[in-house]
Amino acid sequence: MDVSPSAAGSIQTNSGFTTGGGNQPGDPLSSANLTPVTDAGVAIDPADYLGNGDAPGVLAFEAAQEVRGGNSPELLVDVGGQTLFRFKLPLAIDRVRNMYRWANIRSACGDMGGEPSQPNSPANFPDEECDGRHFVFVHGYNVNPAQAREWADAMFKRLWWSGSKSMFTAVDWRGDESQFATLAHGDVSPDYYANVMHAFASAPALASRVASLPGTEKVLLAHSLGNMVVSSAIKDHGLSGYSKYYMLNAAVPMEAYDANANAAAMVDQEWAVVPTRYRASDWNVLFPTNDFRSSLSWRGRFSGIPNAVNCYSESENVLGNPSVGQLTFTGGEWKMQELTKGTTTWHDLNAIPFLDLNVACEGGWGINTYYALDPTWYIYQYGFTDKVQTNMTDQVATEHPLFTPFRTEAEAMHSTNLFVIVDASYKRQLRAKFLADAIPATSFAAGANLLQNGTVSGNIDFLNCESEGWPRDEGEWRHSDIKNVAYFFNWELFNRIKNNDGGDSNGQQ
């Protein structure tokens, strides 16, 4: 490989090989052994470490802690027990987080925890050394403050290894309400609905922070539910002036971006014969546009967002597409929380005191008791009868919906009178709550699917960004592999982001 200073980072992606040091010559760098270097030093034989024949060799070091001043590494050349040459590397090693900004917006959701914001030019990578571009990264759901730092460190380093010399800001928002540790599944945050509400509530703070950041060009990156924060900031709070928005494994319904997206597998099969306007997902069409209830839909919620690139994987383990009639609690957790909205399957968790779930069992695919006990309307495990198509009127569907009635603002929600909310802040808050826990998506997740032309500027299929030797099964890219898989295997994606790649509009990479 080229070992010139300008190619120093190529070790991260180059198909170089080891020449010794505990490995068989010719082994790939990805399998190289690590040799600890203690205060006493470690002896190396040039024949083993510094190349093979005419091939140049490289000694690569990494540090697990800060190195300063007198602790700098030193190279000694000994022959016959005598030191012929010694050179102390003028080297200091510091934490990568001193090379980027940090924005804590958790307070937008009443959480005063997490590390304080660091809005100033980073000491170890000042703005004047940057190229004028500014990356802004927003993490996803079930990420606590310490984990947010892990995500930020990884994303910054991987862009840096790709050759980025741009400014970088990591945003920490409250997407971990109800989180607790488990032995089998690590940290889990069962109250997904509350965190969706937090995503919407964090959007204005994000828009304000991004507007205050320096840079001649801004690039937005968001993972998983972080896309709800960014999309709302753009659509609802005027976030603009960015060149690209990379949607990484977006945990957002496809229909929010493409109003024509539908999936039969996202409709509870007991509702199959029900006209769409009587389902909670499309109940909004019963009301005039000046009625608050007309805004309660995922369909087209984020349509028209400019310069968005959907980065997706059809092999998603969290956002995976279900089959018709499928409802399990393993794999594809995103579809589970959509298909159980309004039902006791999920909302029985309200009875567990320590979870303190801030949701009401309303809307969704639940069955209104008003009809559930009347076999002329509904038959258990069969579904609704044809009576809903011949006897249901829009007025009746408003006052006595087929789905679990709304408990929040119930009197106004089920009134035939106009429901107008003057307070814009309360209107946004209430709409976010209903979208989170009561209005189900009837399309698959964007992060597991190609978005069609006209809805985003392009698509990037993660599977086309897997490098040789991909450590999972061929053709498998999971929900957080952008961080959890070594850069050596997913560097092509970061290279494309660094190069401002707009993806491909028809999904063919």
Side-chain angles (χ1 to χ4, degrees):
M1 68 172 63
D2 186 354
V3 292
S4 65
S6 62
S10 64
I11 192 174
Q12 300 288 346
T13 59
N14 195 287
S15 57
F17 55 88
T18 62
T19 59
N23 293 85
Q24 294 296 318
D27 282 352
L29 291 178
S30 58
S31 64
N33 290 338
L34 297 179
T35 302
V37 179
T38 65
D39 290 341
V42 60
I44 62 174
D45 186 334
D48 288 337
Y49 284 87
L50 296 181
N52 186 358
D54 294 331
V58 176
L59 287 175
F61 294 89
E62 64 180 17
Q65 60 186 22
E66 297 176 5
V67 176
R68 302 180 187 279
N71 292 324
S72 296
E74 186 174 20
L75 175 66
L76 283 74
V77 178
D78 286 355
V79 176
Q82 292 187 339
T83 299
L84 301 183
F85 175 79
R86 63 193 305 157
F87 176 72
K88 196 172 187 66
L89 295 176
L91 179 68
I93 299 176
D94 204 350
R95 299 184 305 170
V96 68
R97 60 195 56 179
N98 289 332
M99 296 182 71
Y100 63 84
R101 287 174 167 84
W102 180 257
N104 182 343
I105 61 172
R106 286 177 166 266
S107 60
C109 302
D111 182 359
M112 306 312 294
E115 297 183 36
S117 295
Q118 299 165 340
N120 300 322
S121 177
N124 290 347
F125 190 35
D127 294 348
E128 56 267 25
E129 295 182 11
C130 299
D131 58 13
R133 186 165 55 168
H134 202 139
F135 285 101
V136 181
F137 172 69
V138 182
H139 66 72
Y141 157 69
N142 191 32
V143 175
N144 62 41
Q147 293 163 337
R149 270 299 192 183
E150 293 173 6
W151 269 96
D153 289 352
M155 295 297 288
F156 173 83
K157 286 190 292 185
R158 293 175 182 212
L159 286 169
W160 174 272
W161 291 332
S162 296
S164 170
K165 294 297 180 284
S166 303
M167 293 170 276
F168 183 93
T169 292
V171 179
D172 183 22
W173 64 283
R174 191 184 186 188
D176 61 329
E177 181 169 333
S178 75
Q179 189 184 78
F180 65 93
T182 69
L183 291 176
H185 302 289
D187 291 331
V188 296
S189 301
D191 194 351
Y192 181 80
Y193 303 140
N195 290 299
V196 173
M197 288 183 259
H198 291 336
F200 281 110
S202 301
L206 175 68
S208 176
R209 291 297 180 94
V210 173
S212 69
L213 294 174
T216 56
E217 177 190 1
K218 294 172 185 175
V219 179
L220 309 177
L221 309 171
H223 181 252
S224 190
L225 191 58
N227 286 280
M228 199 81 76
V229 186
V230 175
S231 295
S232 178
I234 296 170
K235 192 69 175 179
D236 305 326
H237 303 284
L239 174 56
S240 60
Y242 58 91
S243 63
K244 284 288 187 297
Y245 163 31
Y246 290 97
M247 301 161 49
L248 309 170
N249 307 93
V252 182
M254 294 175 68
E255 69 204 83
Y257 303 102
D258 177 5
N260 295 316
N262 287 284
M266 294 298 295
V267 176
D268 187 305
Q269 292 308 290
E270 294 195 40
W271 287 77
V273 302
V274 174
T276 56
R277 68 184 182 278
Y278 297 147
R279 300 171 181 170
S281 55
D282 293 277
W283 192 64
N284 65 300
V285 302
L286 298 180
F287 308 99
T289 56
N290 59 338
D291 189 299
F292 165 72
R293 291 166 289 188
S294 69
S295 69
L296 302 182
S297 174
W298 284 111
R299 200 160 299 284
R301 181 67 179 79
F302 300 134
S303 63
I305 288 181
N307 304 321
V309 180
N310 181 44
C311 303
Y312 71 99
S313 169
E314 293 180 352
S315 59
E316 262 276 0
N317 59 315
V318 173
L319 308 179
N321 300 341
S323 301
V324 173
Q326 179 191 52
L327 179 59
T328 65
F329 286 84
T330 58
E333 289 87 351
W334 183 84
K335 52 88 177 172
M336 183 194 76
Q337 57 81 24
E338 291 295 333
L339 287 169
T340 55
K341 281 182 177 177
T343 71
T344 57
T345 305
W346 174 256
H347 293 279
D348 275 348
L349 290 175
N350 285 325
I352 305 177
F354 74 88
L355 289 181
D356 190 26
L357 301 186
N358 183 31
V359 292
C361 186
E362 54 190 349
W365 304 109
I367 310 299
N368 190 344
T369 307
Y370 188 88
Y371 302 100
L373 302 180
D374 185 346
T376 65
W377 284 93
Y378 175 79
I379 301 173
Y380 178 64
Q381 292 188 332
Y382 167 82
F384 288 98
T385 68
D386 291 341
K387 192 173 183 178
V388 301
Q389 300 189 52
T390 56
N391 289 58
M392 177 68 68
T393 65
D394 291 355
Q395 178 177 341
V396 171
T398 299
E399 296 177 318
H400 301 289
L402 297 175
F403 52 79
T404 306
F406 289 99
R407 292 167 53 186
T408 308
E409 291 278 8
E411 184 175 347
M413 288 292 286
H414 297 298
S415 170
T416 54
N417 297 325
L418 196 66
F419 182 15
V420 176
I421 300 177
V422 177
D423 186 329
S425 177
Y426 179 63
K427 181 178 180 178
R428 287 194 298 268
Q429 176 186 343
L430 193 59
R431 179 173 61 175
K433 183 187 186 307
F434 286 137
L435 288 176
D437 71 8
I439 308 300
T442 53
S443 60
F444 296 137
N449 296 275
L450 171 76
L451 281 174
Q452 297 299 320
N453 293 342
T455 59
V456 295
S457 63
N459 291 269
I460 293 178
D461 186 342
F462 281 135
L463 300 186
N464 293 325
C465 299
E466 297 178 355
S467 295
E468 184 178 355
W470 183 254
R472 301 199 189 281
D473 291 340
E474 184 178 355
E476 180 183 10
W477 184 299
R478 297 181 185 173
H479 189 62
S480 296
D481 279 355
I482 192 172
K483 175 182 77 74
N484 292 344
V485 169
Y487 176 78
F488 195 87
F489 302 110
N490 62 22
W491 64 269
E492 292 186 41
L493 172 66
F494 290 92
N495 194 52
R496 295 181 70 167
I497 292 174
K498 185 263 297 184
N499 290 331
N500 219 27
D501 192 320
D504 191 279
S505 61
N506 61 15
Q508 300 300 314
Q509 304 299 315

